[in-house]
Amino acid sequence: MSSPRLRVQFETLFEHYNGVDCGVQLEDITDILFCTRRNARIVLNKMEEEGWIEWHPSPGRGKLSQLIFKRSRADVSETLARRYLEEGKVEQALKVLDQDTAKLAQVVENYLGVQEQEGQQVVRLPYYRPLSILNPLKNIRRSERHIVRQVFSGLTKLDENEHLQPDLAHTWEMLSPKQWRFYIRPAVRFHNGDLLTAEAIIESLNALRSRNLFSHIESISAVQKHIIDIHLSRDDHHLPVLLTESCAKVLLPQINRSDEYDRFPVGTGPYKVVQNDEKKLTLQAFDSYFGFRPLIDSVEVWVIDDVHSSMVFPSLSKPIAPQTDVVNDEVELDPGCTYLLLNRNNGLAASEQWASYFSQRLSSLNVFNQLPQDKIIELGALPAHGLKPGWYHHTRQALITPPKAERPINIVYYAKHPMFPTLVKVLCSLLEQDGLEVAQYSYDDELPDSMHIDIWLKPMGIANHRDDAIIGWLLDYSDIAMMSRQEDFARWTSEIIRWQRSKQTEFPAHEIGKSLVQTNQLIPMFHCWLGVSKDQCGSLQNAKCNALGWFDFSQVWVKPHSIE
């Protein structure tokens, strides 16, 4: 990387000669740059190495050397800005461009998006944080769940219309409500070349048995080489739907995993991870994928800090708010919401008085009214009155006197999130207006001790719009089991079990959602707009936004602008 000083010296020369090639003497250069003859030669040689100029010295006193400008001042600034962007140094890139955010946005848009690189089609996307934990068995966040679905396969999956489809299992049958048989595709390979075996599938499924979502799995056995039976401790007519969850993906056997498996996972999905660091995640199409090989050869997710990531498209750090009253099929509301999870187990909200106070004082309308107008537009947020759009279970905003506090109220949230730091400031302000002391705790990867949580600001992060998507969220990754009263969680679990024992397809999501709110277990905060603007997609086709705020990389393709 050339130094900022070298760029300034080039700009000085360029401005002095108006970018016109000319004959000069070395003494002229020393006067312009205020340096010695020796330093002038070093500077000119470095500029030539960068490809900015050509310098043809002429020996002999009085003879003119030739100075040829190969780049303009703007070209050099933009080239340096791109180099800084590759390193994730947005502030330096902005400085190079004289703090011109519009110019930076143009540079980034030209650099990211759809690119042709060495004969391959590459899609470069900006994101505001690294995606470092891609192990589906870990406590991963919303965007990581999307990447996991590109890297791994499960026995079953949901298609883009959210219909149940075969994946590693090409078909299945229910021998009884307690026994399901799955027929596995032959000759499937992991990204490292290993063949998928029944033993690998059994190991992955056995790892699920400690989860509430799959606690009813009693045993898994290989009937034949490509036939697996799952035996359950109770009836479940809907097991194939549960197996579409991210945690149910099939992983490489434990003995074959590297120490960096969380960052560099090996699956059987359409894309494999070839780079994953603090600056960039690179996914490469897996040529031996058992399904349709992706049409996009490579997907790169570049880490652009949250201050600047919204200047470029596709911007996956912030939702796209509709600009008119008419909402078309390109933009729709998140199927879940952000919410406040109250610790009704061993936090202040274990008290009915505190739970009721929090529920009324921190209603979404109260919080919304405290948000700056520019932030509302930027975040694309709407007050939520229930877990899903259209549900109306929470409108409390009455004034209520808080109970006496003997310690600060502990609020926990993701620090690296475009919305949450702003929301936490408003929450703290509302509580402090009532004379309460508040302590904020931010975290990124490690789960905090529940004893230190009173209020937890969380996203639902459900992967589809189906009502039964609430099952995986509630039982597996909402942390409600840890934060709820035992009798409440048992009641919600029993509703799920009752549905599983029945052949009916309608899941009682509305009833469970209503109960979660009315028991003051959680407070719905905001729904966000999600979408991919087709006007900004350019040649990228089929970039339909999914419930996780991304688009399926394996389904998009690039349409040429013109064909002669």
Side-chain angles (χ1 to χ4, degrees):
M1 172 75 72
S2 56
S3 68
R5 177 172 173 75
L6 185 66
R7 179 181 66 89
V8 172
Q9 290 169 322
F10 170 81
E11 291 176 349
T12 302
L13 284 179
F14 190 90
E15 290 177 1
H16 183 84
Y17 293 108
N18 293 318
V20 177
D21 303 340
C22 57
V24 299
Q25 292 186 337
L26 190 60
E27 287 77 9
D28 298 333
I29 303 297
T30 62
D31 292 340
I32 296 169
L33 299 181
F34 299 103
C35 64
T36 65
R37 288 173 60 88
R38 179 177 178 274
N39 285 339
R41 290 192 185 96
I42 293 173
V43 169
L44 291 170
N45 288 336
K46 286 184 177 179
M47 290 182 186
E48 193 163 30
E49 289 174 4
E50 291 289 337
W52 300 349
I53 66 168
E54 286 184 11
W55 172 249
H56 300 287
S58 296
R61 183 176 297 275
K63 292 188 176 181
L64 296 178
S65 300
Q66 293 299 309
L67 176 63
I68 301 173
F69 291 98
K70 298 186 68 177
R71 294 286 186 271
S72 69
R73 176 181 177 180
D75 289 340
V76 170
S77 297
E78 291 179 8
T79 299
L80 285 176
R82 282 194 291 271
R83 292 188 188 178
Y84 280 125
L85 288 174
E86 289 180 9
E87 299 178 1
K89 299 177 180 178
V90 180
E91 289 299 333
Q92 287 90 330
L94 192 57
K95 185 176 180 180
V96 163
L97 298 172
D98 299 323
Q99 303 297 321
D100 189 334
T101 55
K103 190 178 294 183
L104 177 65
Q106 185 62 47
V107 170
V108 176
E109 285 180 350
N110 291 338
Y111 188 72
L112 300 179
V114 180
Q115 303 288 333
E116 186 82 15
Q117 183 175 325
E118 298 179 356
Q120 292 197 326
Q121 292 183 341
V122 179
V123 173
R124 292 173 176 158
L125 306 172
Y127 200 54
Y128 68 96
R129 61 175 176 83
L131 299 164
S132 54
I133 305 296
L134 299 176
N135 186 335
L137 293 180
K138 294 293 181 70
N139 185 29
I140 57 176
R141 295 171 63 177
R142 177 187 192 128
S143 291
E144 283 82 350
R145 292 185 192 281
H146 172 75
I147 303 299
V148 157
R149 292 168 181 269
Q150 305 295 306
V151 175
F152 294 92
S153 309
L155 293 181
T156 60
K157 66 178 181 180
L158 297 178
D159 62 19
E160 61 180 6
N161 296 315
E162 301 181 348
H163 297 148
L164 185 64
Q165 298 292 342
D167 203 7
L168 290 174
H170 60 84
T171 192
W172 55 85
E173 59 182 330
M174 186 179 71
L175 303 182
S176 78
K178 291 184 180 180
Q179 182 180 0
W180 284 84
R181 177 163 291 173
F182 293 86
Y183 298 87
I184 312 302
R185 299 178 190 275
V188 174
R189 291 191 179 274
F190 285 99
H191 297 151
N192 65 352
D194 291 356
L195 274 172
L196 174 68
T197 63
E199 290 72 25
I201 297 175
I202 291 172
E203 179 181 321
S204 292
L205 294 177
N206 273 325
L208 301 176
R209 295 170 63 186
S210 60
R211 296 172 175 264
N212 289 322
L213 183 60
F214 294 104
S215 61
H216 60 315
I217 294 181
E218 195 169 71
S219 64
I220 307 110
S221 60
V223 180
Q224 292 182 16
K225 184 178 180 180
H226 298 299
I227 302 176
I228 288 176
D229 278 7
I230 299 180
H231 300 267
L232 307 174
S233 60
R234 52 178 168 79
D235 291 357
D236 187 351
H237 289 265
H238 308 283
L239 180 65
V241 173
L242 300 188
L243 291 172
T244 65
E245 287 288 340
S246 297
C247 64
K249 302 301 181 185
V250 174
L251 282 64
L252 192 71
Q254 181 77 44
I255 194 172
N256 296 329
R257 299 177 200 170
S258 70
D259 294 337
E260 293 189 302
Y261 192 78
D262 288 356
R263 186 180 287 270
F264 294 95
V266 176
T268 59
Y271 283 95
K272 60 182 178 180
V273 179
V274 296
Q275 178 181 353
N276 191 12
D277 52 40
E278 295 301 306
K279 303 304 178 187
K280 183 170 66 170
L281 166 68
T282 302
L283 304 177
Q284 183 178 322
F286 182 38
D287 290 337
S288 299
Y289 178 53
F290 62 86
F292 290 113
R293 192 261 196 200
L295 300 175
I296 297 296
D297 298 294
S298 182
V299 177
E300 299 174 356
V301 182
W302 290 78
V303 179
I304 308 288
D305 68 69
D306 60 341
V307 176
H308 304 288
S309 60
S310 62
M311 294 191 300
V312 293
F313 177 83
S315 176
L316 300 172
S317 67
K318 296 184 177 74
I320 300 173
Q323 300 300 310
T324 66
D325 294 333
V326 179
V327 180
N328 57 31
D329 61 355
E330 297 174 11
V331 182
E332 58 186 10
L333 286 172
D334 179 349
C337 67
T338 59
Y339 61 96
L340 302 181
L341 179 60
L342 303 185
N343 188 351
R344 302 229 57 194
N345 180 22
N346 49 25
L348 288 176
S351 157
E352 288 291 350
Q353 285 183 300
W354 274 109
S356 179
Y357 166 74
F358 288 143
S359 182
Q360 296 189 55
R361 184 58 169 147
L362 303 179
S363 72
S364 62
L365 289 177
N366 280 349
V367 174
F368 186 77
N369 290 334
Q370 297 292 318
L371 283 172
Q373 185 65 33
D374 59 334
K375 275 294 180 183
I376 294 173
I377 297 173
E378 178 186 351
L379 299 174
L382 289 179
H385 302 295
L387 292 187
K388 294 174 72 69
W391 290 6
Y392 205 79
H393 298 147
H394 189 278
T395 58
R396 304 184 188 96
Q397 54 180 325
L399 294 177
I400 182 172
T401 303
K404 184 178 180 180
E406 298 180 355
R407 62 170 177 81
I409 298 168
N410 297 324
I411 299 179
V412 175
Y413 67 101
Y414 285 122
K416 293 182 178 180
H417 190 285
M419 180 187 291
F420 287 2
T422 299
L423 292 184
V424 167
K425 287 182 181 179
V426 174
L427 296 174
C428 291
S429 175
L430 289 171
L431 295 172
E432 288 167 354
Q433 288 172 23
D434 288 347
L436 299 171
E437 185 180 353
V438 183
Q440 302 178 34
Y441 296 91
S442 63
Y443 77 102
D444 294 310
D445 298 318
E446 294 299 322
L447 186 67
D449 185 345
S450 64
M451 291 292 290
H452 298 118
I453 303 174
D454 292 312
I455 300 172
W456 194 349
L457 176 57
K458 291 174 67 72
M460 282 187 72
I462 56 177
N464 58 75
H465 296 79
R466 294 168 56 114
D467 281 350
D468 52 30
I470 287 181
I471 302 173
W473 165 77
L474 176 59
L475 296 183
D476 191 44
Y477 53 89
S478 67
D479 297 298
I480 289 177
M482 177 180 67
M483 304 280 280
S484 64
R485 295 179 297 191
Q486 186 174 358
E487 61 272 20
D488 288 337
F489 193 76
R491 185 171 65 257
W492 300 321
T493 302
S494 67
E495 288 289 331
I496 294 172
I497 292 174
R498 187 177 299 113
W499 172 76
Q500 289 174 315
R501 286 174 171 167
S502 169
K503 292 182 180 180
Q504 67 177 6
T505 57
E506 186 175 350
F507 177 72
H510 190 272
E511 291 75 11
I512 291 176
K514 181 178 181 180
S515 178
L516 285 165
V517 173
Q518 292 187 343
T519 57
N520 294 328
Q521 180 60 64
L522 54 80
I523 307 170
M525 281 284 101
F526 295 101
H527 300 302
C528 290
W529 293 104
L530 299 175
V532 175
S533 173
K534 293 180 181 178
D535 292 337
Q536 294 172 299
C537 281
S539 57
L540 195 64
Q541 307 295 305
N542 204 30
K544 179 182 178 182
C545 184
N546 61 27
L548 291 169
W550 296 68
F551 55 84
D552 187 348
F553 304 150
S554 66
Q555 299 299 313
V556 297
W557 60 287
V558 177
K559 183 178 181 180
H561 289 294
S562 61
I563 301 176
E564 295 182 1

